Amino acid sequence: MAELLLEILSEEIPSRMQLNAREQLKKVFTEGLTKNNLSATKIQSFVSTRRLVLFAEKIEVSSNANLEVKGPKTDALVQAVEGFARKYNKEISDLEKRQTEKGEFYFLVNKISSQQILEVLTNLINDILLNFTWPKSMRWSNNSKSWVRPIRNILCLYDGKILPVNFENIKANRQSIGHRFLSDGWFEVRYFVDYSENLKKRFVILDFEEKLKYIESEILKIAEENNLVCKSDNKLLEEVAGLVEWPSVLLGKFKSEFLNVPEPILTITMKTHQRYFPLYKKNGDLSNYFIAVANSDQKASKTIIQGNEKVLAARLSDAQFFFEQDIKNKLLNNIPKLSRITFHAKLGNMQEKVERLSKLALFIAMWVPFANLEKVEKAANLAKADLMTYIVQEFPELQGLMGKIYAELEGYDKEVYEAIQTHYLPLGPESQLPEIPEAITVSLADKIDNIVGFFSIDEIPTSSKDPYALRRAALGIIRIIIQHNIQIPLKIVLDTSFTLYPSHYFKNNEVKENVVKKHRRVVEEIIEFIFERFKYYKKLQGIRQDVFDAVMALTDSDNLATINNKIVLLEKLLADGSKQQILIALNRVESILYANEDDKHSLKVNEKLFENTFESDLFELINDIKNDALKYLKYQKYEKLFEVISVLVNPINQFFDNVIVNDERPEIRKNRLALLQNIQELTKGLANFSMLNFRN
C-alpha cells in the first residue's frame, strides 16, 4: 500500500493558525508531487491542537511521466537544445542521443524508479519542514531552525516504512501519542487506518470538521434541554475547536445580579476572554447561563465547570465594578484626561486629536447632507471620551460601544451616541459603513486626520507595512464617499486638515523644506495615495479597466463621488446593447479628433463650406440639442445628457459612412473637424471615449 503518513507533533499550535497551516501543508505537498511527476489518488491534511498531519494514498509516477520526448537534432543550435531541456527543467547533459531514420536526435527519457520516489518524498518533506510559513514561529533549545512551537516528535511512514526525515535532532519514527492528559503513552503506527483509530481510542478527534460538528451539536442540544438559545458564532466555534483534541461541552451558570451590567460587557467578557458561549432566553434576553468547551472527558466535568464559573465570576465582578465606577463620572469630564494618552509621539495627544476632530468634522459637515452641526460637534467631542473609562481600559475592544452606552445613559440624542459608536466604521473592506449623517461626518474627519498626520511625519505605508492602517482608512473614506454619494472636494478638506496641526509638528531640521512646501507636497501625495486605493477598489468591483482609464484620463476633479458616478454610468451604458451605440459613435468622433490633434484647436464651423446634407443635418441637430445637453452636463445629470445626445447616433454614423473627414483640402478638413468638435463639447470632461474598447 503506497501511502504516506506524516505527523508533526508539537506544543500547542495557536488556534487562529491551525486551518491555514492545514491548507498550506496540503498545497505545498501537492505542488511538490506534481513538480516531481508524481501523483496520488487522495491527499488529505489534518490539524489539531498539537499536531499537523498529512496523508497521501497510492502515490505513483504520473501517467505521462515516463514518456520519451523527442527533441531537436544533435547538430541543432545549442540555444535550441538548451531551450528544449529547460522546458522540462533539465540540463543538456540529462538528454540522450539516439539515432533515428531521419538522423540523430536528442531525447528526454523521464523514468522514475521506486527508489527515486522514496528520495523525492524524503526531500519534499524535509523541504516542507524547513520552509513552512507560520505567521509567527520560534526557536527552542540550541536549534537554528524554527517552527510555530517546539516540535516533540515526527512520525513519517511511506508504504509502512520509516522515511529518513528529520528536523534538527528529531528523526522521524513510527510512534505517536494520544491526548496529553487522557491517553496512556506512545503507540506504534503502521498505516493511516490504525493511526486514526488509535488516536480516537486515545481521546483525539483528528478530523477538524468532525470535532466542530460535534461541539456545535452538543451546544445546541444543551441549550435546547434548558429551554435556552445559543446564537451562531462560527469564529468562536472554530477557535474553540482548535483549542481541544477531545471536546467536552459543559453548561455553567453565573449570578443573575451580573445581568444588571450592560449585555455587551457580559458577552465580550465571556466570548473574548474566556471563550464561552453566552446563552439567551427564548425572548432574546441574555440569561445567566453559558457553555464552556473543555479539553477533557465528562468524568471531570463537575470540577472543570466549577473552575470555569469561578473564573468567570471574578471577571464579571471586575466588569461590574468598572461599570459602576464609570457611570459616576460624565463623559465630558474625560476629555481633558485624554491628554494623558499619546496619539503619536510626533503628533501630540488624544485631547489635541479630539480638538482637531471637532473642527474638521464641522468643516466636512458642509458637504454631508442633513448633518446637524450641533450634534456633529457633540459627537466629535465625545468620540474618544470612552478611552478614559475603566471598562475600555480593561476591554479595549469595547471602544466606541461603551461611549455609546454611557452617552445614551447621560441622555444625549440618538444621533450623537450612534455617531460615537459608528464613527470607527468601516472596520474592513466588506464591513458595515456609518449610516447616519453625523456618524459619516465624524468618521471621515477621524480618518482624514489620521492620514494627514501620519503622511506629514513620513509614516507612509510601504509595500509590506502599514502599521497605522492608513490603507484601510483610505478605503473607508472612499467607500463612505461613494456609497453615500457625498460631493466633497478632497483637496480642500485635506488642506484644512493639514492646517489644524500645529506647524512645529512638521518641521524637520534635517530636511530643508518649509511648512508651506511640505503642506503642498503632502496633500498631493495623499491625493495620489487615495486615488491609487480608489483604482484598487474599483478593480475589486470588476469595473472594466478601459472604462476606468477613459474617465480618469480627462478628470481634473478630486470629487470621488462624481468620478464614480461617471464610471458607473459608462459601465451601465456599455452593458445595454441599444445604449452602447452612442458610446460607439462618440468613440468614432473622438478617435479622429485625437488623430488630428494639431488641427482641431479653436475651430469654428463654417456652414458655407458644407458640401452635403450629412454635414448640415448633423450640425443642425447638434444645435437643436445643445442647450439641453450643456445644461445636463453642467449640473452633472449625466444619464439625462446621454438620453438627449442619443439622437446623434444615426447622423454621426451616416456622416462617417458618407463623408471623408481628412479631405485633401485643408479648409474642408478643418471645417469637418470643427463639426465633430461641436459633438465633443457636449460631453466635455466626462471621459475620453476613444479609449473605450468595443471589441468584446
Side-chain angles (χ1 to χ4, degrees):
M1 186 187 291
E3 68 167 45
L4 173 79
L5 174 60
L6 168 71
E7 180 201 64
I8 306 160
L9 184 79
S10 69
E11 297 299 322
E12 276 74 2
I13 305 168
S15 183
R16 67 181 187 284
M17 301 181 190
Q18 290 179 13
L19 292 181
N20 285 341
R22 183 182 71 174
E23 297 310 310
Q24 183 187 169
L25 179 59
K26 183 176 179 180
K27 181 172 180 286
V28 294
F29 181 76
T30 305
E31 289 174 350
L33 283 189
T34 305
K35 188 177 176 183
N36 288 285
N37 289 319
L38 296 176
S39 64
T41 55
K42 181 195 279 187
I43 299 175
Q44 291 178 288
S45 57
F46 304 90
V47 69
S48 77
T49 312
R50 298 177 62 211
R51 59 200 88 216
L52 191 55
V53 177
L54 178 76
F55 169 61
E57 197 171 45
K58 291 186 181 176
I59 297 174
E60 56 191 11
V61 178
S62 300
S63 58
N64 61 352
N66 284 328
L67 291 178
E68 295 182 354
V69 184
K70 185 180 176 185
K73 275 191 165 183
T74 52
D75 57 358
L77 290 173
V78 67
Q79 292 89 342
V81 183
E82 284 175 346
F84 171 74
R86 193 163 50 243
K87 181 179 176 182
Y88 296 96
N89 201 25
K90 301 287 183 184
E91 304 290 335
I92 293 179
S93 57
D94 296 326
L95 305 178
E96 285 185 21
K97 293 179 181 178
R98 286 190 186 173
Q99 191 66 39
T100 71
E101 292 179 354
K102 295 182 179 178
E104 190 179 49
F105 285 82
Y106 281 109
F107 278 81
L108 172 70
V109 183
N110 199 16
K111 291 183 178 177
I112 300 176
S113 66
S114 300
Q115 187 58 37
Q116 285 176 312
I117 292 177
L118 288 177
E119 291 176 13
V120 167
L121 290 176
T122 303
N123 293 336
L124 176 57
I125 294 168
N126 277 325
D127 190 54
I128 290 172
L129 281 163
L130 275 179
N131 298 301
F132 204 81
T133 306
W134 295 98
K136 285 185 179 178
S137 58
M138 61 182 290
R139 292 188 179 91
W140 63 98
S141 188
N142 296 322
N143 295 336
S144 59
K145 300 167 189 171
S146 64
W147 194 253
V148 61
R149 292 290 184 272
I151 294 177
R152 295 307 180 205
N153 188 61
I154 298 173
L155 178 159
C156 191
L157 303 174
Y158 176 66
D159 204 13
K161 298 173 184 172
I162 299 169
L163 272 187
V165 167
N166 65 77
F167 186 91
E168 293 285 2
N169 58 348
I170 303 171
K171 292 182 179 177
N173 54 61
R174 62 169 67 253
Q175 287 196 320
S176 182
I177 195 168
H179 192 281
R180 184 189 283 275
F181 306 116
L182 303 175
S183 67
D184 53 359
W186 297 89
F187 62 94
E188 288 207 340
V189 179
R190 296 196 63 79
Y191 297 107
F192 179 72
V193 173
D194 67 86
Y195 167 74
S196 57
E197 286 178 356
N198 271 297
L199 277 184
K200 194 162 272 189
K201 287 176 186 172
R202 289 165 171 79
F203 307 100
V204 174
I205 299 177
L206 187 60
D207 188 317
F208 191 88
E209 278 68 32
E210 180 187 344
K211 191 166 49 177
L212 200 73
K213 198 176 287 184
Y214 171 78
I215 295 171
E216 186 175 28
S217 65
E218 283 295 295
I219 290 173
L220 294 175
K221 188 177 116 186
I222 292 173
E224 186 61 33
E225 285 172 355
N226 291 276
N227 200 30
L228 295 168
V229 175
C230 184
K231 294 181 181 177
S232 174
D233 188 335
N234 291 332
K235 187 179 173 187
L236 179 60
L237 197 60
E238 281 186 2
E239 186 178 3
V240 167
L243 295 173
V244 296
E245 289 198 313
W246 191 254
S248 184
V249 183
L250 309 169
L251 178 69
K253 186 180 181 183
F254 57 86
K255 291 179 181 176
S256 55
E257 66 188 53
F258 289 125
L259 292 173
N260 295 325
V261 178
E263 180 182 317
I265 301 175
L266 300 178
T267 55
I268 207 85
T269 303
M270 284 187 266
K271 286 183 168 186
T272 306
H273 294 266
Q274 304 303 127
R275 276 81 173 180
Y276 298 161
F277 295 85
L279 293 176
Y280 296 81
K281 298 174 185 173
K282 295 284 185 182
N283 65 4
D285 293 343
L286 184 67
S287 78
N288 61 327
Y289 288 89
F290 67 92
I291 283 179
V293 180
N295 187 23
S296 184
D297 63 355
Q298 288 291 336
K299 293 177 184 172
S301 61
K302 188 175 178 182
T303 306
I304 291 171
I305 202 62
Q306 283 175 344
N308 289 338
E309 288 176 342
K310 190 175 177 183
V311 172
L312 182 61
R315 298 292 298 179
L316 294 181
S317 292
D318 290 344
Q320 185 180 36
F321 172 78
F322 296 145
F323 174 69
E324 289 171 354
Q325 294 303 308
D326 282 341
I327 58 177
K328 291 177 182 174
N329 188 29
K330 298 291 184 187
L331 277 178
L332 272 176
N333 296 333
N334 285 344
I335 295 175
K337 300 176 190 170
L338 288 171
S339 62
R340 301 176 199 164
I341 302 178
T342 302
F343 172 52
H344 185 278
K346 295 181 180 178
L347 296 175
N349 59 53
M350 285 304 293
Q351 186 187 11
E352 292 168 324
K353 158 93 179 172
V354 167
E355 288 170 2
R356 290 194 305 273
L357 183 60
S358 300
K359 292 173 184 172
L360 187 59
L362 282 174
F363 184 68
I364 290 174
M366 286 194 293
W367 291 280
V368 180
F370 310 112
N372 181 298
L373 293 182
E374 186 182 352
K375 292 174 182 175
V376 165
E377 189 173 26
K378 284 182 181 174
N381 261 329
L382 296 172
K384 311 296 180 185
D386 64 355
L387 294 179
M388 296 308 300
T389 62
Y390 291 104
I391 286 285
V392 171
Q393 288 174 8
E394 182 68 13
F395 306 102
E397 58 272 38
L398 291 178
Q399 181 179 348
L401 177 60
M402 292 317 301
K404 175 195 172 183
I405 290 172
Y406 294 139
E408 188 175 4
L409 288 173
E410 291 178 27
Y412 284 95
D413 292 325
K414 183 178 180 183
E415 292 83 357
V416 174
Y417 62 72
E418 290 289 348
I420 291 173
Q421 181 186 10
T422 59
H423 84 277
Y424 288 105
L425 301 179
L427 300 176
E430 304 291 335
S431 72
Q432 183 188 350
L433 293 173
E435 293 298 332
I436 62 173
E438 290 76 14
I440 290 168
T441 308
V442 181
S443 178
L444 285 174
D446 191 27
K447 292 168 178 58
I448 288 169
D449 178 78
N450 285 351
I451 291 178
V452 169
F454 288 114
F455 265 71
S456 298
I457 58 170
D458 297 323
E459 291 286 356
I460 299 171
T462 61
S463 56
S464 60
K465 293 182 179 176
D466 184 13
Y468 302 105
L470 300 186
R471 290 195 185 100
R472 190 176 73 187
L475 190 56
I477 292 169
I478 292 163
R479 288 183 61 208
I480 291 170
I481 289 175
I482 289 176
Q483 295 294 323
H484 295 294
N485 195 29
I486 300 189
Q487 304 289 328
I488 189 168
L490 264 182
K491 186 173 181 307
I492 292 175
V493 174
L494 292 171
D495 278 335
T496 303
S497 177
F498 190 97
T499 61
L500 293 175
Y501 277 94
S503 60
H504 67 268
Y505 281 6
F506 305 146
K507 285 183 180 172
N508 186 342
N509 295 329
E510 296 175 4
V511 180
K512 292 181 180 177
E513 182 182 33
N514 65 40
V515 173
V516 175
K517 284 184 179 175
K518 182 161 194 172
H519 179 159
R520 192 178 301 125
R521 175 178 63 80
V522 167
V523 170
E524 285 174 1
E525 286 175 356
I526 296 173
I527 290 279
E528 186 180 347
F529 174 69
I530 291 177
F531 271 82
E532 279 177 6
R533 304 312 298 165
F534 176 63
K535 183 178 181 180
Y536 169 76
Y537 175 65
K538 299 305 290 182
K539 188 176 179 182
L540 287 183
Q541 288 188 320
I543 295 296
R544 283 173 43 166
Q545 186 65 44
D546 60 329
V547 171
F548 184 88
D549 291 341
V551 172
M552 294 304 295
L554 286 190
T555 189
D556 57 357
S557 169
D558 57 357
N559 186 324
L560 286 172
T562 298
I563 296 169
N564 184 65
N565 290 340
K566 293 177 187 177
I567 292 171
V568 171
L569 177 61
L570 288 196
E571 279 270 339
K572 184 179 172 184
L573 294 174
L574 284 166
D576 186 326
S578 61
K579 292 178 180 175
Q580 189 187 85
Q581 298 308 310
I582 182 60
L583 297 182
I584 295 174
L586 291 172
N587 177 279
R588 298 181 75 178
V589 170
E590 294 204 341
S591 293
I592 201 163
L593 284 173
Y594 281 110
N596 292 276
E597 188 75 13
D598 294 339
D599 283 340
K600 74 181 184 67
H601 297 297
S602 303
L603 296 177
K604 288 186 179 179
V605 174
N606 183 351
E607 294 180 69
K608 292 178 182 175
L609 293 177
F610 287 157
E611 293 185 332
N612 54 62
T613 58
F614 301 109
E615 293 170 278
S616 56
D617 287 351
L618 179 57
F619 187 59
E620 185 179 340
L621 195 51
I622 292 170
N623 285 324
D624 287 346
I625 65 169
K626 191 172 185 178
N627 287 339
D628 282 344
L630 292 179
K631 180 182 70 180
Y632 291 133
L633 181 66
K634 179 180 178 182
Y635 293 108
Q636 300 181 10
K637 304 286 185 186
Y638 301 130
E639 199 146 4
K640 284 281 187 186
L641 169 66
F642 276 99
E643 284 178 18
V644 170
I645 65 173
S646 290
V647 297
L648 296 177
V649 171
N650 287 334
I652 290 173
N653 290 336
Q654 287 174 2
F655 174 84
F656 280 115
D657 293 345
N658 296 284
V659 176
I660 298 174
V661 176
N662 288 320
D663 195 276
E664 293 179 349
R665 295 163 291 175
E667 69 278 9
I668 298 298
R669 183 177 71 251
K670 289 183 178 180
N671 199 51
R672 289 170 179 169
L673 289 172
L675 177 58
L676 296 178
Q677 202 170 6
N678 271 248
I679 300 172
Q680 190 185 40
E681 287 294 318
L682 303 180
T683 58
K684 191 174 181 180
L686 196 54
N688 181 343
F689 298 101
S690 69
M691 295 174 73
L692 294 178
N693 184 353
F694 297 99
R695 284 177 296 179
N696 296 323

